Coordinates of all heavy atoms in Angstrom, one line a residue:
M1 N 127.6 94.6 -103.3 CA 126.2 95.0 -103.6 C 125.3 94.1 -102.9 O 125.4 92.9 -103.1 CB 126.0 95.0 -105.2 CG 124.6 95.4 -105.6 SD 124.4 97.1 -105.5 CE 122.6 97.3 -105.7
A2 N 124.4 94.6 -102.1 CA 123.5 93.8 -101.4 C 122.1 94.6 -101.4 O 122.1 95.8 -101.4 CB 123.9 93.5 -100.0
S3 N 121.1 93.8 -101.3 CA 119.7 94.5 -101.3 C 119.0 94.1 -100.1 O 119.0 92.9 -99.7 CB 118.9 94.0 -102.6 OG 119.6 94.5 -103.7
I4 N 118.4 95.0 -99.5 CA 117.6 94.8 -98.3 C 116.2 95.4 -98.5 O 116.1 96.6 -99.0 CB 118.3 95.4 -97.0 CG1 119.6 94.7 -96.8 CG2 117.3 95.3 -95.8 CD1 120.4 95.3 -95.7
S5 N 115.2 94.7 -98.2 CA 113.8 95.2 -98.4 C 113.3 95.7 -97.0 O 113.6 95.2 -96.0 CB 112.9 94.1 -98.9 OG 113.2 93.8 -100.2
I6 N 112.5 96.7 -97.1 CA 111.7 97.2 -96.0 C 110.2 96.8 -96.3 O 109.6 97.4 -97.2 CB 111.8 98.7 -95.7 CG1 113.3 99.1 -95.5 CG2 110.9 99.1 -94.6 CD1 113.5 100.6 -95.5
P7 N 109.7 95.7 -95.7 CA 108.4 95.2 -96.1 C 107.2 96.1 -95.7 O 107.4 96.9 -94.8 CB 108.4 93.8 -95.4 CG 109.3 94.0 -94.2 CD 110.3 95.0 -94.6
Q8 N 106.1 95.8 -96.3 CA 104.9 96.6 -96.0 C 104.5 96.3 -94.6 O 104.6 95.2 -94.1 CB 103.8 96.2 -97.0 CG 102.6 97.1 -96.9 CD 101.7 97.0 -98.1 OE1 101.9 96.2 -99.0 NE2 100.6 97.8 -98.1
G9 N 104.1 97.4 -93.9 CA 103.8 97.2 -92.5 C 105.0 97.3 -91.5 O 104.8 97.1 -90.3
A10 N 106.2 97.6 -92.0 CA 107.4 97.5 -91.2 C 107.4 98.5 -90.0 O 108.1 98.3 -89.1 CB 108.6 97.8 -92.1
S11 N 106.6 99.6 -90.1 CA 106.6 100.5 -89.0 C 105.8 100.1 -87.8 O 105.9 100.7 -86.7 CB 106.2 101.9 -89.5 OG 104.9 101.8 -90.0
A12 N 105.0 99.0 -87.9 CA 104.3 98.6 -86.8 C 105.2 97.9 -85.8 O 106.1 97.1 -86.1 CB 103.2 97.5 -87.2
Q13 N 105.1 98.3 -84.5 CA 106.0 97.9 -83.5 C 106.0 96.4 -83.2 O 106.9 95.8 -82.7 CB 105.8 98.7 -82.2 CG 106.2 100.1 -82.3 CD 106.3 100.8 -81.0 OE1 107.0 100.3 -80.1 NE2 105.7 101.9 -80.8
Q14 N 104.9 95.7 -83.6 CA 104.7 94.3 -83.2 C 105.3 93.4 -84.3 O 105.3 92.2 -84.1 CB 103.3 94.0 -82.9 CG 102.3 94.1 -84.0 CD 101.7 95.5 -84.1 OE1 102.3 96.5 -83.6 NE2 100.5 95.6 -84.7
V15 N 105.7 93.9 -85.4 CA 106.2 93.0 -86.5 C 107.6 92.5 -86.1 O 108.3 93.1 -85.3 CB 106.2 93.6 -87.9 CG1 104.9 94.0 -88.3 CG2 107.3 94.7 -88.0
D16 N 107.9 91.3 -86.6 CA 109.2 90.6 -86.2 C 110.3 91.2 -87.1 O 111.5 91.3 -86.6 CB 109.1 89.1 -86.5 CG 108.2 88.5 -85.6 OD1 108.0 89.0 -84.4 OD2 107.6 87.4 -86.0
Q17 N 110.0 91.5 -88.3 CA 111.1 91.9 -89.2 C 110.8 93.3 -89.8 O 109.8 93.5 -90.5 CB 111.2 90.9 -90.4 CG 112.1 89.8 -90.1 CD 112.6 89.1 -91.4 OE1 111.8 88.9 -92.3 NE2 113.9 88.8 -91.5
Y18 N 111.7 94.2 -89.5 CA 111.6 95.6 -90.0 C 112.3 95.7 -91.3 O 112.0 96.5 -92.2 CB 112.1 96.6 -89.0 CG 111.4 96.4 -87.6 CD1 112.1 95.9 -86.6 CD2 110.1 96.9 -87.5 CE1 111.5 95.8 -85.3 CE2 109.5 96.8 -86.2 CZ 110.2 96.2 -85.2 OH 109.6 96.1 -83.9
Y19 N 113.4 94.9 -91.4 CA 114.2 94.9 -92.6 C 114.4 93.4 -93.0 O 114.5 92.6 -92.1 CB 115.6 95.5 -92.3 CG 115.6 97.0 -91.9 CD1 115.6 97.3 -90.5 CD2 115.5 98.0 -92.8 CE1 115.6 98.6 -90.1 CE2 115.5 99.3 -92.4 CZ 115.5 99.6 -91.1 OH 115.5 100.9 -90.6
M20 N 114.4 93.2 -94.3 CA 114.6 91.8 -94.8 C 115.8 91.7 -95.7 O 115.8 92.3 -96.8 CB 113.3 91.3 -95.5 CG 112.1 91.2 -94.6 SD 110.6 90.7 -95.5 CE 111.1 89.1 -96.1
P21 N 116.8 90.9 -95.4 CA 116.9 90.2 -94.2 C 117.3 91.1 -93.0 O 117.9 92.1 -93.2 CB 118.1 89.2 -94.5 CG 118.9 89.9 -95.5 CD 117.9 90.7 -96.3
V22 N 116.9 90.8 -91.8 CA 117.2 91.6 -90.7 C 118.6 91.6 -90.3 O 119.2 92.6 -89.8 CB 116.2 91.3 -89.5 CG1 116.6 89.9 -88.9 CG2 116.3 92.3 -88.4
N23 N 119.3 90.5 -90.5 CA 120.8 90.5 -90.4 C 121.4 90.1 -91.7 O 121.3 88.9 -92.1 CB 121.1 89.4 -89.3 CG 120.5 89.8 -87.9 OD1 120.8 90.8 -87.4 ND2 119.7 88.9 -87.4
A24 N 122.0 91.0 -92.4 CA 122.6 90.7 -93.7 C 124.1 90.6 -93.6 O 124.7 91.4 -92.9 CB 122.2 91.9 -94.6
S25 N 124.6 89.6 -94.3 CA 126.1 89.5 -94.4 C 126.6 90.2 -95.6 O 126.1 89.9 -96.7 CB 126.5 88.0 -94.4 OG 126.1 87.4 -93.2
V26 N 127.5 91.1 -95.4 CA 128.0 91.9 -96.6 C 129.5 92.0 -96.5 O 130.0 92.0 -95.4 CB 127.3 93.3 -96.6 CG1 125.8 93.2 -96.8 CG2 127.7 94.1 -95.4
P27 N 130.2 92.2 -97.6 CA 131.6 92.5 -97.6 C 131.9 93.9 -97.2 O 131.0 94.8 -97.4 CB 132.1 92.1 -99.0 CG 130.9 92.3 -99.8 CD 129.7 92.0 -99.0
N28 N 133.1 94.2 -96.7 CA 133.5 95.6 -96.4 C 133.4 96.4 -97.7 O 133.7 95.9 -98.8 CB 134.9 95.6 -95.8 CG 135.3 97.0 -95.3 OD1 134.4 97.8 -95.0 ND2 136.5 97.2 -95.2
D29 N 133.1 97.6 -97.6 CA 133.0 98.6 -98.8 C 131.8 98.2 -99.7 O 131.7 98.7 -100.8 CB 134.3 98.6 -99.6 CG 135.4 99.4 -98.9 OD1 135.1 100.2 -98.1 OD2 136.6 99.1 -99.2
A30 N 130.9 97.3 -99.3 CA 129.8 97.0 -100.1 C 128.8 98.2 -100.2 O 128.7 98.9 -99.2 CB 129.0 95.8 -99.5
T31 N 128.2 98.3 -101.3 CA 127.1 99.3 -101.5 C 125.8 98.5 -101.2 O 125.5 97.5 -101.9 CB 127.1 99.9 -102.9 OG1 128.3 100.6 -103.1 CG2 125.9 100.9 -103.0
I32 N 125.1 99.0 -100.2 CA 123.8 98.3 -99.8 C 122.7 99.2 -100.4 O 122.7 100.4 -100.2 CB 123.7 98.2 -98.3 CG1 125.0 97.8 -97.7 CG2 122.5 97.3 -97.9 CD1 125.3 96.4 -97.7
T33 N 121.7 98.5 -100.9 CA 120.5 99.3 -101.4 C 119.3 98.8 -100.6 O 119.0 97.6 -100.5 CB 120.3 99.0 -102.9 OG1 121.4 99.5 -103.6 CG2 119.0 99.7 -103.4
W34 N 118.6 99.8 -100.0 CA 117.4 99.5 -99.3 C 116.2 99.9 -100.2 O 116.2 101.0 -100.8 CB 117.3 100.3 -98.0 CG 118.1 99.7 -96.9 CD1 117.7 98.9 -95.9 CD2 119.5 100.0 -96.6 NE1 118.8 98.6 -95.1 CE2 119.9 99.3 -95.5 CE3 120.5 100.8 -97.2 CZ2 121.2 99.3 -94.9 CZ3 121.8 100.9 -96.7 CH2 122.1 100.1 -95.6
T35 N 115.2 99.0 -100.3 CA 114.0 99.2 -101.1 C 112.8 99.3 -100.1 O 112.6 98.4 -99.4 CB 113.8 98.1 -102.1 OG1 114.9 98.0 -103.0 CG2 112.5 98.4 -102.9
N36 N 112.2 100.4 -100.1 CA 111.0 100.7 -99.2 C 109.7 100.2 -99.9 O 109.2 100.9 -100.7 CB 111.0 102.1 -98.8 CG 109.9 102.4 -97.8 OD1 109.2 101.4 -97.3 ND2 109.7 103.6 -97.4
K37 N 109.2 99.1 -99.4 CA 108.0 98.5 -100.0 C 106.8 98.9 -99.0 O 105.7 98.3 -99.2 CB 108.1 97.0 -100.1 CG 109.2 96.6 -101.2 CD 109.3 95.1 -101.3 CE 110.3 94.8 -102.4 NZ 110.6 93.4 -102.5
D38 N 107.1 99.7 -98.1 CA 106.0 100.1 -97.1 C 105.3 101.4 -97.6 O 105.7 101.9 -98.7 CB 106.7 100.3 -95.7 CG 105.6 100.4 -94.6 OD1 104.5 99.9 -94.8 OD2 105.9 101.0 -93.6
V39 N 104.3 101.8 -96.9 CA 103.5 103.0 -97.3 C 104.0 104.2 -96.5 O 103.4 105.3 -96.7 CB 102.0 102.7 -97.1 CG1 101.5 101.7 -98.0 CG2 101.7 102.4 -95.6
A40 N 105.0 104.1 -95.6 CA 105.5 105.2 -94.9 C 107.0 105.3 -95.2 O 107.7 104.4 -95.6 CB 105.4 104.9 -93.4
P41 N 107.5 106.5 -95.1 CA 109.0 106.7 -95.3 C 109.8 106.1 -94.2 O 109.4 106.1 -93.0 CB 109.1 108.2 -95.4 CG 108.0 108.8 -94.6 CD 106.9 107.8 -94.8
H42 N 111.0 105.6 -94.5 CA 111.9 105.0 -93.5 C 113.3 105.5 -93.9 O 113.6 105.9 -95.0 CB 111.8 103.5 -93.6 CG 110.4 103.0 -93.2 ND1 109.9 103.1 -92.0 CD2 109.5 102.4 -94.0 CE1 108.7 102.6 -92.0 NE2 108.4 102.1 -93.2
T43 N 114.2 105.3 -92.9 CA 115.6 105.4 -93.1 C 116.3 104.2 -92.7 O 115.8 103.3 -92.0 CB 116.2 106.6 -92.3 OG1 116.4 106.2 -91.0 CG2 115.3 107.8 -92.3
A44 N 117.6 104.0 -93.2 CA 118.5 103.1 -92.6 C 119.7 103.9 -92.1 O 120.5 104.4 -92.9 CB 118.9 102.0 -93.7
T45 N 119.8 104.0 -90.8 CA 120.8 104.9 -90.2 C 121.7 104.0 -89.2 O 121.2 103.4 -88.3 CB 120.0 105.9 -89.4 OG1 119.1 106.6 -90.3 CG2 121.0 106.9 -88.8
A46 N 123.0 104.0 -89.5 CA 123.9 103.3 -88.6 C 123.9 103.9 -87.2 O 124.0 105.1 -87.1 CB 125.3 103.3 -89.3
S47 N 123.9 103.0 -86.3 CA 123.9 103.5 -84.9 C 125.2 104.1 -84.5 O 125.3 104.9 -83.6 CB 123.5 102.3 -83.9 OG 122.3 101.8 -84.3
D48 N 126.3 103.7 -85.3 CA 127.6 104.3 -85.0 C 127.9 105.5 -85.9 O 129.0 106.0 -86.0 CB 128.7 103.2 -85.2 CG 128.8 102.7 -86.6 OD1 128.1 103.2 -87.5 OD2 129.7 101.8 -86.9
G49 N 126.8 105.9 -86.7 CA 126.9 107.1 -87.5 C 127.7 106.9 -88.8 O 127.9 107.9 -89.5
S50 N 128.0 105.7 -89.2 CA 128.9 105.5 -90.3 C 128.1 105.6 -91.7 O 128.7 105.8 -92.7 CB 129.6 104.1 -90.2 OG 128.7 103.0 -90.1
F51 N 126.8 105.4 -91.6 CA 126.0 105.7 -92.9 C 124.6 106.1 -92.5 O 124.2 105.9 -91.4 CB 126.0 104.4 -93.8 CG 125.3 103.2 -93.2 CD1 123.9 103.1 -93.3 CD2 126.0 102.2 -92.6 CE1 123.3 102.0 -92.8 CE2 125.4 101.1 -92.1 CZ 124.0 101.0 -92.2
D52 N 124.0 106.8 -93.4 CA 122.6 107.2 -93.2 C 122.0 107.4 -94.6 O 122.5 108.2 -95.4 CB 122.5 108.5 -92.4 CG 121.1 108.9 -92.1 OD1 120.2 108.2 -92.4 OD2 121.0 110.0 -91.5
T53 N 120.9 106.7 -94.9 CA 120.3 106.8 -96.2 C 119.5 108.1 -96.3 O 119.1 108.5 -97.4 CB 119.4 105.6 -96.5 OG1 118.3 105.6 -95.5 CG2 120.1 104.3 -96.5
G54 N 119.1 108.7 -95.2 CA 118.1 109.7 -95.2 C 116.7 109.1 -95.5 O 116.6 107.8 -95.6
A55 N 115.7 109.9 -95.6 CA 114.3 109.3 -95.7 C 114.2 108.6 -97.1 O 114.6 109.2 -98.1 CB 113.3 110.4 -95.6
I56 N 113.7 107.4 -97.1 CA 113.4 106.7 -98.3 C 111.9 106.7 -98.4 O 111.2 106.1 -97.6 CB 113.9 105.2 -98.2 CG1 115.4 105.2 -97.7 CG2 113.8 104.5 -99.6 CD1 115.8 103.8 -97.3
N57 N 111.4 107.3 -99.4 CA 109.9 107.4 -99.6 C 109.4 106.0 -100.0 O 110.1 105.2 -100.6 CB 109.6 108.5 -100.6 CG 109.8 109.9 -100.1 OD1 109.4 110.1 -98.9 ND2 110.3 110.8 -100.9
P58 N 108.1 105.8 -99.8 CA 107.4 104.6 -100.3 C 107.7 104.3 -101.7 O 107.6 105.2 -102.6 CB 106.0 104.8 -100.0 CG 105.9 105.8 -98.9 CD 107.1 106.7 -99.1
G59 N 108.1 103.1 -102.1 CA 108.4 102.7 -103.4 C 109.7 103.2 -103.9 O 110.1 102.9 -105.1
S60 N 110.5 103.8 -103.1 CA 111.8 104.3 -103.5 C 113.0 103.4 -103.0 O 112.8 102.6 -102.1 CB 112.0 105.7 -103.1 OG 111.1 106.6 -103.8
T61 N 114.2 103.7 -103.5 CA 115.3 103.0 -103.0 C 116.4 104.0 -102.6 O 116.3 105.2 -103.0 CB 116.0 102.1 -104.0 OG1 116.4 102.9 -105.1 CG2 115.0 101.0 -104.5
A62 N 117.3 103.6 -101.7 CA 118.4 104.5 -101.3 C 119.6 103.6 -101.1 O 119.4 102.4 -100.6 CB 118.1 105.3 -100.1
S63 N 120.8 104.1 -101.3 CA 122.0 103.2 -101.2 C 123.0 103.9 -100.2 O 123.0 105.1 -100.1 CB 122.7 103.0 -102.5 OG 121.8 102.3 -103.4
A64 N 123.8 103.1 -99.6 CA 124.9 103.6 -98.7 C 126.0 102.6 -98.8 O 125.8 101.4 -99.0 CB 124.4 103.7 -97.3
M65 N 127.2 103.1 -98.7 CA 128.4 102.3 -98.7 C 128.8 102.0 -97.2 O 128.8 102.9 -96.4 CB 129.6 102.9 -99.4 CG 130.8 102.0 -99.5 SD 132.2 102.8 -100.3 CE 131.8 102.5 -102.0
V66 N 129.0 100.7 -97.0 CA 129.3 100.3 -95.6 C 130.8 100.1 -95.4 O 131.4 99.3 -96.2 CB 128.5 99.0 -95.3 CG1 128.9 98.4 -93.9 CG2 127.0 99.2 -95.4
K67 N 131.3 100.7 -94.4 CA 132.7 100.6 -94.1 C 132.8 100.0 -92.7 O 132.0 100.3 -91.8 CB 133.5 101.9 -94.2 CG 133.5 102.4 -95.6 CD 134.3 103.7 -95.7 CE 134.4 104.2 -97.1 NZ 135.1 103.3 -98.0
G68 N 133.9 99.3 -92.4 CA 134.1 98.8 -91.1 C 134.1 97.3 -91.1 O 134.2 96.7 -92.2
Q69 N 134.0 96.7 -90.0 CA 134.0 95.2 -89.8 C 133.2 94.8 -88.7 O 132.9 95.6 -87.7 CB 135.5 94.8 -89.6 CG 136.1 94.0 -90.7 CD 137.5 93.5 -90.3 OE1 138.3 94.3 -89.8 NE2 137.7 92.2 -90.5
G70 N 132.7 93.6 -88.8 CA 131.9 93.1 -87.7 C 130.5 93.5 -87.7 O 130.0 93.8 -88.8
D71 N 129.8 93.6 -86.6 CA 128.4 93.8 -86.5 C 128.1 95.3 -86.5 O 128.6 96.0 -85.6 CB 127.9 93.1 -85.2 CG 126.5 92.6 -85.4 OD1 126.1 92.4 -86.5 OD2 125.9 92.3 -84.3
I72 N 127.4 95.8 -87.4 CA 127.0 97.2 -87.5 C 125.5 97.2 -87.3 O 124.7 96.6 -88.1 CB 127.4 97.9 -88.8 CG1 128.9 97.9 -88.9 CG2 126.8 99.3 -88.8 CD1 129.4 98.5 -90.2
Q73 N 125.0 97.8 -86.2 CA 123.6 98.0 -86.0 C 123.1 99.2 -86.7 O 123.8 100.2 -86.8 CB 123.3 98.1 -84.5 CG 123.9 97.0 -83.6 CD 123.3 95.7 -83.8 OE1 122.1 95.6 -84.0 NE2 124.0 94.6 -83.8
Y74 N 121.8 99.1 -87.2 CA 121.2 100.3 -87.8 C 119.8 100.4 -87.4 O 119.2 99.4 -86.9 CB 121.5 100.4 -89.3 CG 120.8 99.3 -90.1 CD1 119.5 99.6 -90.7 CD2 121.4 98.1 -90.4 CE1 118.9 98.6 -91.5 CE2 120.8 97.2 -91.2 CZ 119.6 97.4 -91.7 OH 119.0 96.5 -92.5
H75 N 119.2 101.5 -87.6 CA 117.8 101.7 -87.3 C 117.1 102.7 -88.2 O 117.8 103.3 -89.0 CB 117.7 102.2 -85.8 CG 118.4 103.5 -85.6 ND1 119.7 103.5 -85.3 CD2 117.9 104.8 -85.6 CE1 120.1 104.8 -85.2 NE2 119.0 105.6 -85.4
C76 N 115.8 102.9 -88.0 CA 115.1 103.9 -88.7 C 115.0 105.2 -87.8 O 114.5 105.1 -86.7 CB 113.7 103.4 -89.1 SG 112.6 104.6 -89.9
N77 N 115.4 106.3 -88.4 CA 115.3 107.6 -87.6 C 113.9 108.0 -87.3 O 113.6 108.7 -86.3 CB 116.0 108.7 -88.3 CG 117.4 108.9 -87.8 OD1 117.8 108.5 -86.8 ND2 118.2 109.6 -88.7
I78 N 113.0 107.6 -88.2 CA 111.6 108.0 -88.0 C 110.8 107.1 -87.1 O 110.0 107.5 -86.3 CB 110.9 108.0 -89.4 CG1 111.6 109.0 -90.4 CG2 109.4 108.4 -89.3 CD1 111.3 108.8 -91.8
H79 N 111.2 105.8 -87.1 CA 110.6 104.8 -86.2 C 111.8 104.1 -85.5 O 112.2 103.1 -86.0 CB 109.8 103.8 -87.0 CG 108.8 104.4 -88.0 ND1 109.2 104.6 -89.3 CD2 107.6 105.0 -87.8 CE1 108.2 105.2 -90.0 NE2 107.2 105.4 -89.1
P80 N 112.2 104.7 -84.4 CA 113.5 104.2 -83.8 C 113.5 102.8 -83.3 O 114.5 102.2 -83.0 CB 113.7 105.2 -82.6 CG 112.8 106.3 -82.8 CD 111.7 105.8 -83.7
W81 N 112.3 102.2 -83.2 CA 112.2 100.8 -82.8 C 112.5 99.8 -84.0 O 112.7 98.7 -83.7 CB 110.8 100.4 -82.2 CG 109.7 100.7 -83.2 CD1 109.2 99.8 -84.1 CD2 109.0 101.9 -83.3 NE1 108.2 100.5 -84.8 CE2 108.0 101.7 -84.3 CE3 109.0 103.2 -82.6 CZ2 107.2 102.8 -84.7 CZ3 108.2 104.2 -83.0 CH2 107.2 104.0 -84.1
M82 N 112.5 100.3 -85.2 CA 112.9 99.5 -86.3 C 114.4 99.4 -86.3 O 115.1 100.3 -86.4 CB 112.5 100.2 -87.6 CG 111.0 100.3 -87.9 SD 110.6 101.2 -89.4 CE 111.4 100.2 -90.6
H83 N 114.9 98.1 -86.3 CA 116.3 97.9 -86.3 C 116.7 96.7 -87.1 O 115.9 95.8 -87.3 CB 116.8 97.7 -84.8 CG 116.1 96.6 -84.1 ND1 116.4 95.3 -84.3 CD2 115.0 96.7 -83.3 CE1 115.5 94.6 -83.5 NE2 114.7 95.4 -83.0
G84 N 117.9 96.7 -87.6 CA 118.5 95.7 -88.3 C 120.0 95.7 -88.1 O 120.5 96.5 -87.4
S85 N 120.7 94.7 -88.7 CA 122.1 94.7 -88.5 C 122.8 94.2 -89.8 O 122.2 93.5 -90.6 CB 122.6 93.9 -87.3 OG 122.3 92.6 -87.5
L86 N 124.1 94.6 -89.9 CA 124.9 94.1 -91.0 C 126.1 93.4 -90.4 O 126.7 93.9 -89.4 CB 125.4 95.3 -91.8 CG 124.3 96.2 -92.5 CD1 125.0 97.4 -93.1 CD2 123.5 95.4 -93.5
Q87 N 126.4 92.2 -90.9 CA 127.6 91.5 -90.5 C 128.6 91.7 -91.6 O 128.5 91.2 -92.7 CB 127.3 90.0 -90.3 CG 128.5 89.2 -89.7 CD 128.8 89.6 -88.3 OE1 127.9 89.9 -87.5 NE2 130.1 89.7 -88.1
V88 N 129.6 92.6 -91.3 CA 130.5 93.0 -92.4 C 131.8 92.2 -92.3 O 132.5 92.1 -91.2 CB 130.9 94.5 -92.2 CG1 131.7 95.0 -93.4 CG2 129.6 95.3 -92.2
S89 N 132.2 91.5 -93.4 CA 133.4 90.8 -93.4 C 134.5 91.6 -94.1 O 134.2 92.5 -94.8 CB 133.2 89.5 -94.2 OG 132.7 89.7 -95.5
S90 N 135.7 91.2 -93.9 CA 136.8 92.0 -94.5 C 137.1 91.6 -95.9 O 136.6 90.5 -96.3 CB 138.1 91.8 -93.6 OG 138.4 90.5 -93.4
Ligands
CU101 CU1 110.7 103.8 -90.3

């Protein structure tokens, strides 16, 4: 179980952090919960297709189970420049 926040203003291209923490260390098979604290909807979508939260509305949360190992990149489908990563341990 791990929690990642999407901070207010995250969809602006000039911000440093779209997801907090931007690089999260999680165990394999962990359920990750993303909390959208922004005023726009966002997703957390694995670049390898292994998970996709779908649209998370402002003030809402969504969860996904992470499988695999190593570095998994993910992004927001609505704002493709928003990116983060998970470091998955076995
Ligand atoms: Cu977004």
Side-chain angles (χ1 to χ4, degrees):
M1 180 76 190
S3 297
I4 297 174
S5 294
I6 302 172
Q8 192 161 3
S11 60
Q13 291 197 50
Q14 63 270 26
V15 301
D16 295 331
Q17 270 202 316
Y18 305 106
Y19 299 95
M20 291 176 66
V22 66
N23 300 302
S25 295
V26 299
N28 188 22
D29 285 335
T31 298
I32 319 282
T33 300
W34 282 267
T35 301
N36 185 1
K37 297 178 176 173
D38 194 21
V39 295
H42 299 292
T43 78
T45 304
S47 302
D48 65 4
S50 59
F51 65 83
D52 185 3
T53 61
I56 312 167
N57 285 320
S60 294
T61 64
S63 298
M65 187 183 275
V66 174
K67 295 185 178 297
Q69 247 186 309
D71 214 17
I72 298 179
Q73 306 293 321
Y74 66 93
H75 60 274
C76 173
N77 262 342
I78 302 163
H79 313 96
W81 58 89
M82 291 177 60
H83 54 81
S85 66
L86 302 171
Q87 186 66 41
V88 185
S89 57
S90 53

